[in-house]
Amino acid sequence: MLSGLIFDLDGTLVDSNECHVQAWVRGFARHGYQIPADRIRPEIGKGGDNLVPAILGDSAEARDGERLRESVGELFPDVVAELGVRPFDGVLELLDAVRARGIRIALATSSSMEHLAVTLERAGLGRPDGGALRDRLDALVNKDDVEASKPEPDVVLAAVSKLGLTPAECAMVGDTPFDAIAARRAGVVTLGVLSGGIFDAARLVAGGARRVWRDPAHLLEDLDEVLHVASPTRTRLEPALLERLMREALAAAEEGMAAGEAPIGCAIADGEGRVLARGYNEMNGTQNKTAHAEIVAFARAAGQVPLDARDLLLASTLEPCVMCTGAAMEAAVDTIVYALQAPADSGSGRVRPPESPESQMPRIVGNVLAAESRRLFEQWLEERRGTPQAAYVEQLLGLVKCDDHGTRTQPREGGAGAPAAARAREAA
């Protein structure tokens, strides 16, 4: 069940993408850069802090980035006045219908507050006393509120925080792959719309959108299915539920420690939060390098849920690897929750969202009871320090630093992440 829905603005609620394209064409030209609109359109959806280096490179960004963004800020109101903007059909009705379901609404945009105000006023959605759109929002975040714009997750995370929710309780609606990437990095499900007119459904799915609709009117028409796709579970994924499932995974990890394995545990639950199976890392006992806790738990859950289920919840004491994240996508898991962040070879940042309709990109939410998981690894390491199996755990806990080839260099305090992580995990 969904508690919060976050909307992008440009191209999602308002037909304003081309205004941004033309403002950038003119802004670049003002500083001697002749950049065609066709080169700018594929970057729309990013904030200017990411758009400029994507088009001109880092050197030009360092030299002219701030001046370019200032120029675009000056030019944008004139472009909007010239080209005009309008809200898409059904926007206000969609927001009203979502609010009627008890779902909180946020707006998260890479536009500045100045651009936002101009867009809403020209679209007939803004007034000095609040505005037709803003009256329907529980939270609003723009690029002025955060350090980095999309596709970084900052604006999405800020919106989640302003709603007073967790990423697992939210979904986002956007028209660009950068919306989807930002939301995926934040642990939020993305629902795509084609109303922006720049990116097709394939690009949105490749970015991580779980499904794509035509426009806001289509979302309104199909709202029951939209909300089910966004969160097919029959319970709200509130912190108490996620922590309960993680304690099941921690208990499995302790069982693994007692059996001589690394303390990695997993619990799989159905859409009502009922635990179906638990598993722990069994690589040492079985001498099977694929016997990760998640794979063991999937095997034990076999036959307990329909093959077409899309509401499974997976909790792991360690961020899943590429193999286990891939298995979760194949199993159409709705949500992956992990405790302790893994080094750089973990799966959440390395997998490509699936294109098959049978699979599903899970929302991936970390740092749930991370301290408890860390204590288990510290206890395990105290008993096995100096053994070949300790290499991965030392790296995980940030006790060693590795170079680009995975070679151990010097000790350090805090931090982790190195290309040797996958090989070391196999040893653990």
Side-chain angles (χ1 to χ4, degrees), residues 1-3 168 210 227-238 241 244-245 269-276 304-306 308-313 332 334-335 363:
M1 296 174 63
L2 201 65
S3 298
R210 189 169 278 189
L227 299 180
H228 179 72
V229 169
S231 188
T233 61
R234 294 174 294 284
T235 185
R236 296 188 187 278
L237 302 183
E238 298 173 330
L241 171 61
R244 176 172 64 79
L245 296 180
D270 65 14
E272 295 181 356
R274 297 177 299 192
V275 174
L276 304 176
Q304 299 188 58
V305 291
D308 61 353
R310 306 182 76 84
D311 61 352
L312 293 180
L313 310 172
D334 175 66
T335 300
R363 56 168 61 83

Side-chain angles (χ1 to χ4, degrees), residues 341-344 374 394-400 412-418:
Q341 185 176 5
R374 184 180 182 89
E394 288 178 335
Q395 184 188 356
L396 173 65
L397 298 179
L399 302 178
V400 298
R412 62 173 179 170
E413 293 183 2

Side-chain angles (χ1 to χ4, degrees), residues 90-92 113 141 193 216 251 299 391:
V91 163
L92 297 183
M113 181 57 76
V141 178
V193 287

